[in-house]
Amino acid sequence: MMDVHKNFSILLKHILEHSFDEIFIADALGNILYTSQTTEKMFGIPYKPKTLQNIFDLEKSGVFSPSVIANVLRSGRKETLIQETIHNRKTIISGYPIHDDDGILIGALSFSRDITEFEYLKNENEQVAKAVQLYKKEIEKLKKQAISTLFPNHEKMGKVLDVISKITDLDVTVLLVGESGVGKNRIARMIHEMSKRSIQPFIEVNCGAIPESLIESELFGYEEGAFTGAKKGGKPGYFEAAGGGTLILDEIGELPMNLQVKLLSVLQNKSLMRIGGSKSVQVTCRIICATNQNLEELIHAKQFREDLYYRINIVKIIIPPLRERREEIISLIFDITKEMNKKYAMNKRFTPAMLAWIGQQEWKGNIRELRNFIEKAVITSSDEEIDLEMNGEDFAQISGKKVEETTLQQYMEAIEKEFIMRMYQKYPSSIKLAEKLNISQSTANRKIQKYIEER
């Protein structure tokens, strides 16, 4: 029997000594009966097994403020608190009353766990999380600034650009809606190039331009022997070719009904099956759909699936027509002219009068019509400077528009507006703008209010 008690005492001693927590045991008067050997390191209390110390005295001296065991002895109930030791260690301490078989309080014990490192890591993680949020906001701000250079000072595109900056790195399907020629493909490419997918392929597919007999194999691919004329080894479709990049399905309203079902399956399951195949192929690309049609009307006419519409309409971006973005026209003229000069190895430019006249037109065909007009003008004009007066008849034939005279003030304002808007992008304050243009700050303010703030 003695051996059992002896073995139990040895076992208990080892449990106490090797416990992960610091252990205090005190009697009903607060005299410490046992403390772990590491107590001095944590609490600054010398480890003296043979010398009784009193927990109430240690509390009065400030070693514990308060003492969990003292609280337990006072209340007779369990106590838990977090406190900092005199060695600047943060601990979580739980104290428990000890009762005899008759329910009389005979002492208390506590378990203390050092959470200093945990708290440090927690604070570090919180700081990192805050930094990540700041970086995300800064990245979003930079994205907005990058986008705004493509659409300088354009009020109507503001909401569009704000949405674009938020979704570039989100794996969501986007629906671009707008008239023919408004630049839906341009917006799609912008979303792609500003996302983490930018190093992956960007593939454009016009659903209305591919014959119905071929579009299924072009989109979904096929296996060898799937049909007469199928290539040896089969062929991946556009979904596979896009890889982890972006696939834009332009004129989505032209997609045949039977393929709308397959597209819905791709969007829902992120996988497809090639024609004649038996294995599922994972789809990892982002899908952007674009249309100049009213899909709601097509749904009512039973020409477009309602369930597919809701699946592609997660983020809908409505792109306004060019006639509602007149302040963008002058910038587009410069950009397109630069592009055409590079394409045809020329050095053409428009006179202020010509710029003013172009900016006054409706351009019902939007950017596509404007691009075609500028390309023809660059190709057919005889001189490097393309002027309204000397080319009036040619432009009337090219554009089908009536060429009208414009005043000196009109075309000078058109040039000044474009110049001020571009310079303000680089020097976004009246002080910097005035200094750069060598004008007074009051004059710079008037120009900013006239061309930028009052649009």
Side-chain angles (χ1 to χ4, degrees):
M1 193 70 173
M2 290 296 294
D3 289 338
V4 173
H5 283 297
K6 183 178 179 181
N7 290 338
F8 180 77
S9 297
I10 294 173
L11 178 63
L12 180 61
K13 178 182 177 182
H14 279 279
I15 290 174
L16 293 173
E17 287 182 355
H18 299 292
S19 171
F20 185 76
D21 296 321
E22 299 295 327
I23 300 176
F24 273 75
I25 303 175
D27 63 20
L29 298 177
N31 298 314
I32 299 175
L33 303 178
Y34 176 85
T35 64
S36 302
Q37 294 186 26
T38 54
T39 301
E40 183 172 2
K41 178 181 178 182
M42 181 177 287
F43 297 103
I45 305 171
Y47 176 67
K48 299 177 180 178
K50 296 180 181 180
T51 304
L52 291 179
Q53 300 180 77
N54 190 276
I55 200 71
F56 294 106
D57 293 338
L58 293 174
E59 186 181 50
K60 287 179 182 179
S61 64
V63 174
F64 300 108
S65 182
S67 163
V68 172
I69 286 187
N71 285 348
V72 170
L73 292 175
R74 293 187 189 103
S75 66
R77 297 189 302 271
K78 173 188 172 181
E79 294 272 349
T80 298
L81 56 82
I82 295 176
Q83 65 179 205
E84 192 169 319
T85 71
I86 60 174
H87 287 172
N88 298 319
R89 307 295 295 180
K90 187 166 284 190
T91 61
I92 181 169
I93 308 174
S94 294
Y96 302 87
I98 302 174
H99 297 92
D100 63 13
D101 293 339
D102 296 323
I104 299 173
L105 183 68
I106 60 172
L109 77 160
S110 69
F111 300 91
S112 305
R113 178 162 296 186
D114 191 340
I115 60 171
T116 307
E117 300 303 325
F118 173 79
E119 286 293 306
Y120 172 77
L121 292 174
K122 178 184 174 184
N123 291 333
E124 283 291 300
N125 287 338
E126 288 175 353
Q127 292 299 317
V128 170
K130 289 179 181 178
V132 168
Q133 289 301 316
L134 288 175
Y135 289 142
K136 285 183 177 179
K137 289 181 179 179
E138 189 63 27
I139 289 171
E140 188 173 309
K141 181 180 177 181
L142 292 173
K143 285 181 178 179
K144 287 182 179 179
Q145 291 175 351
I147 294 172
S148 66
T149 60
L150 298 175
F151 300 95
N153 302 297
H154 185 227
E155 183 179 359
K156 280 193 173 288
M157 288 294 288
K159 292 182 179 179
V160 172
L161 307 182
D162 185 56
V163 173
I164 291 173
S165 67
K166 286 181 170 65
I167 65 165
T168 51
D169 284 328
L170 298 181
D171 189 22
V172 294
T173 304
V174 180
L175 176 61
L176 303 178
V177 179
E179 295 178 5
S180 179
V182 293
K184 295 186 288 292
N185 290 51
R186 184 185 184 199
I187 295 294
R189 184 172 286 277
M190 183 191 306
I191 293 172
H192 171 75
E193 290 180 349
M194 296 187 66
S195 74
K196 57 189 176 184
R197 299 176 181 270
S198 59
I199 60 173
Q200 299 293 328
F202 176 81
I203 296 179
E204 302 177 50
V205 179
N206 189 319
C207 298
I210 304 175
E212 188 171 340
S213 59
L214 297 177
I215 190 168
E216 182 176 11
S217 61
E218 290 295 309
L219 284 175
F220 301 96
Y222 57 83
E223 297 291 353
E224 182 178 342
F227 49 82
T228 302
K231 289 183 178 179
K232 186 177 181 180
K235 179 186 175 184
Y238 289 125
F239 285 103
E240 291 180 70
T246 302
L247 175 66
I248 172 172
L249 299 175
D250 199 5
E251 303 301 342
I252 188 66
E254 300 293 334
L255 192 67
M257 290 290 284
N258 65 308
L259 297 187
Q260 290 180 26
V261 178
K262 293 195 70 170
L263 175 58
L264 179 62
S265 175
V266 170
L267 292 171
Q268 290 177 337
N269 303 319
K270 297 295 183 182
S271 64
L272 59 81
M273 196 170 292
R274 292 183 182 181
I275 299 174
S278 57
K279 294 181 180 179
S280 179
V281 179
Q282 292 299 307
V283 174
T284 58
C285 64
R286 176 208 283 266
I287 298 173
I288 298 178
C289 299
T291 183
N292 60 2
Q293 296 178 285
N294 188 319
L295 296 183
E296 289 89 344
E297 290 182 359
L298 293 182
I299 291 172
H300 291 307
K302 306 297 182 183
Q303 295 176 358
F304 199 84
R305 293 183 62 94
E306 187 174 13
D307 49 3
L308 176 59
Y309 173 71
Y310 291 132
R311 197 68 183 78
I312 66 175
N313 193 27
I314 297 175
V315 176
K316 184 177 183 178
I317 299 177
I318 301 175
I319 306 170
L322 190 57
R323 61 182 173 275
E324 296 179 11
R325 300 150 50 189
R326 288 189 177 276
E327 54 268 59
E328 189 184 334
I329 293 178
I330 299 297
S331 293
L332 282 170
I333 295 170
F334 279 98
D335 292 341
I336 296 172
T337 303
K338 182 179 179 181
E339 178 187 333
M340 296 307 161
N341 278 329
K342 183 178 180 180
K343 180 178 180 180
Y344 296 108
M346 294 181 177
N347 189 29
K348 303 291 181 71
R349 62 185 179 277
F350 291 99
T351 64
M354 193 64 200
L355 288 171
W357 179 82
I358 295 174
Q360 292 168 2
Q361 306 311 304
E362 284 297 315
W363 304 111
K364 294 180 180 179
N366 297 294
I367 298 175
R368 184 177 293 120
E369 182 186 4
L370 177 62
R371 177 183 297 276
N372 291 341
F373 173 81
I374 293 175
E375 185 169 14
K376 290 178 182 179
V378 168
I379 293 172
T380 60
S381 62
S382 303
D383 301 323
E384 286 193 353
E385 189 171 60
I386 306 172
D387 185 68
L388 180 66
E389 184 176 345
M390 70 175 66
N391 295 283
E393 293 184 3
D394 292 337
F395 287 129
Q397 293 174 358
I398 291 171
S399 64
K401 300 176 185 294
K402 183 180 178 181
V403 178
E404 298 176 351
E405 294 293 334
T406 185
T407 65
L408 175 65
Q409 182 180 358
Q410 285 176 324
Y411 70 71
M412 288 303 292
E413 282 189 353
I415 293 301
E416 184 179 62
K417 178 180 179 180
E418 167 63 19
F419 180 66
I420 293 297
M421 289 171 66
R422 284 178 175 265
M423 293 300 288
Y424 190 69
Q425 286 291 312
K426 296 181 179 179
Y427 309 99
S429 75
S430 59
I431 297 176
K432 293 179 180 178
L433 186 64
E435 182 181 348
K436 186 64 180 178
L437 302 184
N438 196 24
I439 58 177
S440 67
Q441 186 180 355
S442 60
T443 300
N445 270 320
R446 284 197 300 273
K447 302 293 184 186
I448 292 170
Q449 291 171 1
K450 180 178 181 180
Y451 298 123
I452 300 171
E453 294 179 355
E454 293 185 356
R455 288 180 299 106

